[in-house]
């Protein structure tokens, strides 16, 4: 399939436009793996899928691919709705390589007005960027860039729609930097229209490896397809032919699970089993019930009373999946990480922490996973206030926790966010290198006090023998903990709450992983998976005249990722933290399923050894699914 590639050399401040016409390159991940070298990655790829710019629902995501500074291997992250305006530049993929030799940072400005593509390079001096970030973080950077380039996207008397990607101070000073993208209409930011690419530290990769802290883009070039996918009548006929229903009805049915949003539905389904106090699953059931009641009264009920529903900005998606509470968007995973898993149970405190993490440009899931570990270290006496550099009280003991302690823990986390984002202390700079690095470093510096280790109070997936790690998705399910997937930290595994044998878990996780790489590669929103997993092959054939075996194409794609990561030394390591091992053990032993009965007995008798055996068998089954 023909694709238009924009190559940017960040060192030379030059660009080139080329056409790619390779049969195996149908999406962003396909192309990224064709140009990235695992031993010397050297570039970041940003792009959209083959249907971006069309009226098909849920097809306008941007995917960002590169070598994760957290895991050390290939990773991808994506942003909902941001691909629609990207498609109007006439570009499919952007490849950024090279790095400026100065202290300055750079922002490419990509626009296509009336068929004329132009790329400009805006330079921001290091000191000026620091001052911008000190004001309101990455939102200040967005405002600064809009002031500079608002009129560049003016045609006659009208401003055309535009977007930008922006990185905050966390991208400059840590491995956990995220990217924000905000919709701009009529020369102004649309409130609560910011979307995030957080997992894997791609903001850090752009800022530190390429000195790129943002991208401004927009245009008025409509994408052309062999079949006019901008004609609603034609698109509706396609859906009627495939399903007997209109596009709108198919889309509504596919996404109805998300109409309530991820926050309310996932908290309700997890109940007292949701992660709390640093993923501590040794908390007794009665205490968990009490803590969940606190959360219901002080977080979930106030949220449900005042929540406002919004879409992500995807043109043809009818589902208001974004939930806004008093001007602040909230999702399940981030609110859990910087909420009950960090010992914080009141909505105002959680909201303020999420807002501050966003301002600083953190992946709030990754950072919240770290705050809970630090609080655990403090509570256990492994570190004191002088070690951490924060002279504030905390109570991270679930047995003695009272609601007013939520404020103490919140104040501590707020100070930690600012310290780490700006690298203000040696302790903060150590945390900025990732939770696994921090555990190893602090064990070397402080030693183990008693029987407990720093890694006892952490929960992460580890890769290779070095520092590679990432926070898993915020569920106590075996797939997420044991088999985080070829692309970890996301839903690329069997994340169902289903007790099953290790062999079955491995097979199901591999199958789910194949289907989850599909939307990342093709720029789809995974909330629409119920329809595209059924019909995408037919639509490909109808639009492009191309017979495509979607499943096998993406199974082979994951085989390429696995081979890449092996060369990069980014191989999933055995569970190495007590929190992770205890989560598996408690899940199996609490299960009343016949599929896990023998494993529950074995774990009662043999403890951690049996957990390791279960994990090894599940991972072997997963890996075997990708061997031809």
């Amino acid at each position: 399939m023909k694709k238009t590639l924009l190559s940017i050399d960040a060192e030379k401040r030059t660009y080139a436009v080329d056409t790619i016409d390779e049969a195996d390159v149908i999406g962003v991940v396909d192309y990224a793996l064709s140009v990235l070298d695992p031993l010397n990655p050297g570039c970041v790829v940003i792009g959209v899928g083959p249907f971006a710019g069309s009226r098909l629902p849920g097809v306008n995501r941007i995917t960002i691919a590169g070598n994760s500074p957290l895991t050390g291997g290939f990773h991808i992250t994506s942003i909902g709705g941001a691909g629609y305006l990207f498609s109007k530049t006439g570009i499919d993929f952007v490849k950024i390589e090279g790095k400026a030799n100065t202290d300055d940072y750079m922002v490419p400005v990509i626009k296509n007005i009336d068929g004329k593509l132009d790329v400009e390079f805006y330079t921001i001096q290091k000191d000026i960027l620091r001052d911008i970030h000190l004001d309101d973080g990455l939102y200040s950077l967005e405002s600064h860039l809009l002031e500079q380039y608002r009129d560049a996207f003016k045609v006659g008397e009208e401003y055309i729609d535009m977007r930008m990607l922006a990185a905050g101070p966390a991208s400059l000073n840590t491995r956990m930097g995220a990217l924000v993208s905000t919709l701009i209409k009529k020369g102004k930011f649309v409130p609560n229209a910011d979307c995030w690419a957080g997992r894997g530290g791609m903001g850090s990769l752009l800022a530190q490896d390429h000195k790129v802290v943002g991208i401004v883009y927009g245009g008025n070039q409509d994408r052309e397809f062999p079949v006019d996918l901008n004609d609603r009548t034609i698109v509706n006929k396609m859906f009627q032919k495939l399903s007997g229903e209109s596009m709108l009805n198919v889309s509504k049915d596919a996404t109805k699970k998300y109409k309530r949003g991820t926050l309310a539905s996932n908290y309700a389904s997890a109940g007292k089993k949701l992660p709390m106090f640093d993923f501590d699953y040794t908390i007794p059931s009665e205490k968990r019930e009490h803590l969940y009641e606190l959360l219901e009264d002080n977080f979930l009920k106030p949220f449900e009373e005042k929540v406002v529903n919004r879409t992500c900005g995807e043109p043809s998606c009818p589902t208001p999946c974004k939930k806004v509470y008093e001007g602040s968007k909230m999702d399940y995973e981030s609110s859990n990480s910087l909420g009950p898993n960090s010992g914080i149970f009141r909505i105002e405190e959680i909201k303020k922490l999420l807002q501050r993490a966003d301002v600083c440009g953190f992946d709030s899931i990754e950072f919240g996973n770290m705050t809970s570990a630090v609080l655990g270290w403090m509570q256990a006496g492994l570190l004191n206030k002088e070690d951490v550099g924060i002279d504030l009280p905390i109570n991270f003991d679930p047995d003695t926790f009272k609601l007013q302690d939520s404020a103490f823990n919140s104040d501590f986390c707020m100070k930690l966010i600012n310290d780490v984002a700006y690298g203000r202390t040696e302790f903060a700079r150590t945390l900025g290198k990732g939770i696994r690095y921090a555990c190893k470093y602090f064990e070397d510096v402080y030693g183990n006090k008693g029987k407990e280790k720093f890694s006892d109070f952490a929960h992460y997936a580890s890769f290779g023998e070095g520092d590679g790690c990432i926070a898993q998705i915020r569920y106590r399910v075996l797939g997420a903990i044991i088999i985080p997937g070829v692309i970890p930290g996301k839903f690329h595994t069997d994340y169902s709450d289903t007790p099953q044998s290790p062999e079955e878990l491995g097979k199901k996780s591999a199958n789910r992983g194949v289907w989850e790489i599909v939307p990342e590669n093709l720029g789809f929103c995974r909330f629409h998976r119920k329809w595209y997993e059924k019909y995408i092959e037919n639509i490909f054939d109808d639009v492009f005249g191309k017979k495509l075996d979607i499943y096998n194409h993406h199974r082979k794609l994951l085989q390429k990722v696995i081979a890449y990561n092996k060369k990069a030394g980014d191989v999933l390591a055995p569970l190495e933290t007590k929190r992770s091992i205890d989560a598996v053990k408690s899940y199996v032993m609490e299960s009343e399923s016949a599929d896990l009965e023998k494993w529950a007995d074995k774990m009662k008798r043999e403890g951690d050894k049996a957990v390791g055996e279960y994990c090894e068998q599940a991972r072997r089954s997963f890996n075997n699914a990708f061997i031809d």
Side-chain angles (χ1 to χ4, degrees), residues 66-75 175 199-202 205 469-470:
N67 214 68
S68 167
L70 276 170
T71 68
F74 182 82
H75 211 274
R175 297 176 184 175
R199 305 312 334 261
M202 292 299 156
L205 178 63
C469 69
I470 198 166

Side-chain angles (χ1 to χ4, degrees), residues 95-291:
K95 179 177 68 173
I96 299 175
E97 52 193 347
K99 178 181 180 179
N101 294 320
T102 68
D103 285 338
D104 297 338
Y105 290 88
M106 186 262 283
V107 176
V109 181
I110 306 166
K111 62 179 179 177
N112 190 326
I113 306 297
D114 298 333
K116 182 183 178 182
L117 178 67
D118 180 63
V119 181
E120 183 178 335
F121 300 104
Y122 178 66
T123 299
I124 307 178
Q125 294 177 351
K126 181 179 179 180
D127 291 345
I128 292 176
L129 179 61
R130 180 197 61 205
D131 292 342
I132 291 171
H133 276 159
L134 283 172
D135 183 13
D136 200 25
L138 50 66
Y139 294 119
S140 293
L141 177 58
E142 282 195 314
S143 296
H144 175 84
L145 293 172
L146 183 57
E147 285 299 311
Q148 298 295 319
Y149 284 98
R150 178 188 283 111
D151 289 345
F153 290 84
K154 192 174 185 181
V155 179
E157 296 300 315
E158 300 291 329
Y159 291 103
I160 65 171
D161 293 350
M162 56 187 288
R163 290 191 86 119
M164 59 181 73
L165 304 179
S171 289
L172 275 61
N173 300 308
T174 81
R175 297 176 184 175
M176 298 173 279
L179 293 165
V180 69
S181 175
T182 304
L183 178 61
I184 301 162
K185 284 182 170 290
K186 298 180 180 180
K188 296 180 180 180
F189 290 112
V190 178
N192 298 311
D194 54 318
C195 296
W196 289 80
R199 305 312 334 261
M202 292 299 156
S204 300
L205 178 63
L206 274 171
Q208 295 177 31
D209 283 26
H210 303 284
K211 305 296 282 291
V212 172
V213 292
I215 300 174
V216 179
Y217 64 91
N220 59 4
Q221 179 173 323
D222 289 333
R223 206 167 188 183
E224 295 183 357
F225 300 90
V227 173
D228 189 358
L229 295 181
N230 287 307
D231 186 324
R232 287 184 180 274
T233 302
I234 292 175
V235 174
N236 266 321
K237 284 181 179 178
M238 291 175 64
F239 277 85
Q240 287 281 357
K241 173 186 168 185
L242 292 169
S243 67
E245 295 283 348
S246 68
M247 179 193 76
L248 182 63
N249 286 341
V250 170
S251 180
K252 281 184 175 180
D253 180 66
T255 58
K256 62 185 177 183
K257 172 183 175 181
Y258 299 98
K259 189 174 182 180
R260 192 182 178 194
T262 63
L263 191 150
S265 58
N266 285 334
Y267 274 108
S269 62
K272 68 178 183 179
K273 294 181 180 179
L274 69 89
M276 292 187 273
F277 288 90
D278 189 27
F279 233 82
D280 186 353
Y281 282 93
T282 65
I283 301 172
S285 180
E286 288 185 4
K287 174 58 68 173
R288 281 190 158 273
E289 287 180 7
H290 169 68
L291 291 168

